[in-house]
Amino acid sequence: MIRKSPMKQENRQTISGADFEEYFQPQNLEKALEIKAEYSDQIEVAAGTTDLLVANYEQLHQIKNWLDLDKIDELRKIEILENELHIGAMVTHLQLMKSDLIKEKLAVLAAAAEDVGSPQIRSRGTIGGNICTSSPAGDLLAPLLSYEASFKLQKAGAERIVRAEDFFTGPKRNLMEADELLTEIIIPLTENEREGAWVKVGRRKALVISTLTLSVVLEFEADKIIEAGIALGSVAPTPIRLWEVGELMLGSSLTELDYKQLGQEVKARINPIDDLRGTREYREDVAADVMVRALNEIERKRG
Amino acid sequence: MQITFTVNGEERELEVTPYTRLLDLLREDLGLTGVKEGCGKGECGACTVIMNGELTASCLVPAPQADQAEILTVEGLGTRDDLHPIQESFVEAGAVQCGYCIPGMILAGKRLLDENPQPTEKEVRYGLSGNICRCTGYAKIIDAVMMAADKLAVEGSDSND
């Protein structure tokens, strides 16, 4: 039996018109791209809405047009295609941290997902939302830079692939065009041993906007480091990858590295600000420390 | 626009606007006032419900995204005369002070115990990490969840006899 519940009178006041033609909940991507093409920047894209509803707190009624991606199942897949891992933009943090594939192949991304917000946020927030919000403090962003992820941006009839590193252009800014949607995150896989570490620094363990994040992903051939993805969040206007620090590590084994010196190299290459969550000086010192901690952790994991 | 969803086992059909939050829908339209509004921004956990099996901050869900969902609020867990073992444990452990956070805490505890029937204290803390108690009654809340784990384990073994 279905019980019909009439809407309470006080909730009716602001409703006008017969229905909400401006709320779109397409069932497939093709339809979503058509709508985005038509409305361009005049429509709000809704994914897990953990940012959207906070940003529009008590002003939700002012959002004129909604493009809700919630019902598009093709954006919720995690799969391997030709030695690349493809993650749909609507995959949630919870899915990431529970996925055996992600835990095995991209352990640092899984660890970062586990540190996002709280259980209530992780079940709703999406990887695509984290990327498109483009906060310098977005927890998944440093790991994506470490793994050299690329993003698939689609619009009606066209698509392009953009490197994660090029995507972020400033605090909450990115190079996505108004008629585009982020549909997929693509990460190259390797046969080599990959070991990594994730550090999130904040005032509490849960529900905290990061003061600083560090993602270290090292690729080994025997004991030699052949790739080193060092990336940080909340220390510059965008999440950043420190290529120069990575290069200092190439060709060496962990035992040949001076961790403290590498910590100083990290510290020298970041550009943090003073804000509520920490001062510039604090972030610089902590960056050096957590780099040492991350390398120790990787050493421990490799036994 | 119209949505259909299942709340505490009962299918409901409702007229909603896109800017109605699931929280308002449950409290105002359905009278399920066990769902509390604290911060309204997903940070306090007072509005927690279990939606499609997962903890969800109902203040961050636009009503149309609840279409076809299955939702459990604290009202669906037990009744005053027949409390759920988790609710019983909260009473017995003295875990309730002002009570505002408790429906969310109980649902977070339930979700945790559904997945992990014998959690360690650390796991309980992680499971409840999205719920804030401003009476700072965490110690007894955690005791209550641990106590509930034991009760449920005994119940489980009874029913197997």
Side-chain angles (χ1 to χ4, degrees), chain A residues 196-266:
Chain A
W198 159 253
V199 184
K200 170 169 171 165
V201 179
R203 292 196 172 173
R204 293 173 58 208
K205 281 189 182 162
L207 282 164
V208 70
I209 298 176
S210 303
T211 303
L212 182 147
T213 59
L214 169 69
S215 154
V216 178
V217 176
L218 303 181
E219 204 175 307
F220 294 91
E221 229 171 47
D223 271 342
K224 300 281 182 214
I225 296 167
I226 56 165
E227 286 286 348
I230 318 292
L232 292 98
S234 295
V235 296
T238 65
I240 51 168
R241 166 114 184 214
L242 299 182
W243 291 94
E244 291 166 5
V245 179
E247 274 159 26
L248 293 172
M249 302 166 70
L250 299 184
S252 305
S253 64
L254 282 174
T255 49
E256 291 164 351
L257 295 177
D258 179 345
Y259 294 174
K260 270 210 153 140
Q261 179 56 33
L262 287 166
Q264 293 305 313
E265 299 287 350
V266 168

Side-chain angles (χ1 to χ4, degrees), chain B residues 4-160:
Chain B
T4 306
F5 63 174
T6 305
V7 184
N8 300 333
E10 197 171 350
E11 197 167 320
R12 309 292 292 246
E13 199 174 289
L14 282 129
E15 194 65 38
V16 302
T17 74
Y19 44 83
T20 309
R21 303 170 302 172
L22 175 59
L23 168 70
D24 304 320
L25 207 61
L26 294 171
R27 284 184 61 85
E28 303 291 323
D29 293 55
L30 299 182
L32 298 170
T33 50
V35 191
K36 306 295 184 196
E37 176 159 20
C39 66
K41 296 180 175 181
E43 293 188 16
C44 75
C47 69
T48 297
V49 298
I50 297 181
M51 177 162 133
N52 298 328
E54 298 299 345
L55 291 184
T56 300
S58 63
C59 74
L60 294 184
V61 181
Q65 289 201 354
D67 187 32
Q68 305 304 321
E70 193 161 319
I71 288 160
L72 180 74
T73 72
V74 74
E75 287 90 345
L77 215 52
T79 62
R80 195 175 281 265
D81 302 322
D82 183 21
L83 294 177
H84 186 279
I86 299 179
Q87 293 170 308
E88 243 173 50
S89 303
F90 270 69
V91 173
E92 286 165 19
V96 182
Q97 294 187 52
C98 88
Y100 202 82
C101 70
I102 297 299
M105 289 285 184
I106 285 176
L107 289 170
K110 177 183 179 352
R111 174 66 188 81
L112 171 72
L113 296 178
D114 284 348
E115 184 175 345
N116 180 1
Q118 290 295 323
T120 62
E121 188 193 317
K122 197 174 164 197
E123 286 164 341
V124 173
R125 286 177 180 273
Y126 186 71
L128 301 183
S129 60
N131 296 73
I132 289 175
C133 166
R134 283 297 80 153
C135 306
T136 70
Y138 296 107
K140 289 187 174 179
I141 290 171
I142 290 158
D143 290 348
V145 176
M146 304 287 280
M147 188 192 286
D150 294 340
K151 277 183 194 260
L152 288 163
V154 172
E155 266 189 18
S157 62
D158 283 354
S159 62
N160 290 337

Side-chain angles (χ1 to χ4, degrees), chain A residues 1-8 10-12 14-16 18-20 22-23 25 46-51 53-54 57 60-63 66 68-71 90 94 97-98 113-115 117-124 204-207, chain B residues 1-2 4 10-21 24-25 27-30 37-45 48 51 54-57 59-62 64-68 104 108 111 115 122 126-132:
Chain A
M1 184 199 72
I2 297 184
R3 254 170 75 187
K4 294 217 178 204
S5 310
M7 200 172 210
K8 273 199 171 177
E10 62 260 37
N11 288 346
R12 274 186 196 285
T14 50
I15 304 178
S16 62
D19 208 342
F20 292 91
E22 65 279 10
Y23 193 94
Q25 206 173 45
T49 66
T50 53
D51 284 326
L53 264 63
V54 173
Y57 181 60
L60 271 186
H61 58 282
Q62 290 179 7
I63 299 180
W66 298 70
D68 178 358
L69 307 181
D70 191 50
K71 304 281 190 232
M90 289 293 287
L94 182 67
M97 67 182 257
K98 294 239 159 146
E114 203 168 333
D115 268 352
S118 67
Q120 287 87 335
I121 301 298
R122 290 191 289 272
S123 67
R124 298 265 311 155
R204 293 173 58 208
K205 281 189 182 162
L207 282 164
Chain B
M1 61 196 301
Q2 203 149 54
T4 306
E10 197 171 350
E11 197 167 320
R12 309 292 292 246
E13 199 174 289
L14 282 129
E15 194 65 38
V16 302
T17 74
Y19 44 83
T20 309
R21 303 170 302 172
D24 304 320
L25 207 61
R27 284 184 61 85
E28 303 291 323
D29 293 55
L30 299 182
E37 176 159 20
C39 66
K41 296 180 175 181
E43 293 188 16
C44 75
T48 297
M51 177 162 133
E54 298 299 345
L55 291 184
T56 300
C59 74
L60 294 184
V61 181
Q65 289 201 354
D67 187 32
Q68 305 304 321
R111 174 66 188 81
E115 184 175 345
K122 197 174 164 197
Y126 186 71
L128 301 183
S129 60
N131 296 73
I132 289 175

Side-chain angles (χ1 to χ4, degrees), chain A residues 89 127-136 138 140-142 144-145 148-154 160-178 180-186 237-241 243:
Chain A
I127 184 170
N130 204 241
I131 293 166
C132 291
T133 294
S134 300
S135 162
L140 302 187
L141 308 185
L144 290 172
L145 292 181
E148 295 189 45
S150 298
F151 304 150
K152 188 193 274 188
L153 306 180
Q154 284 184 258
R160 60 176 172 146
I161 306 283
V162 174
R163 294 168 63 230
E165 210 186 343
D166 300 330
F167 181 81
F168 304 103
T169 54
K172 306 215 167 174
R173 288 176 186 279
N174 58 57
L175 49 63
M176 201 155 58
E177 301 284 347
E180 287 179 321
L181 291 174
L182 166 67
T183 56
E184 223 173 66
I185 293 84
I186 303 164
T238 65
I240 51 168
R241 166 114 184 214
W243 291 94

Side-chain angles (χ1 to χ4, degrees), chain A residues 35 38 96 117 125 127 154 190 217:
Chain A
I35 296 163
E38 189 185 335
L96 286 177
I127 184 170
Q154 284 184 258
T190 171
V217 176

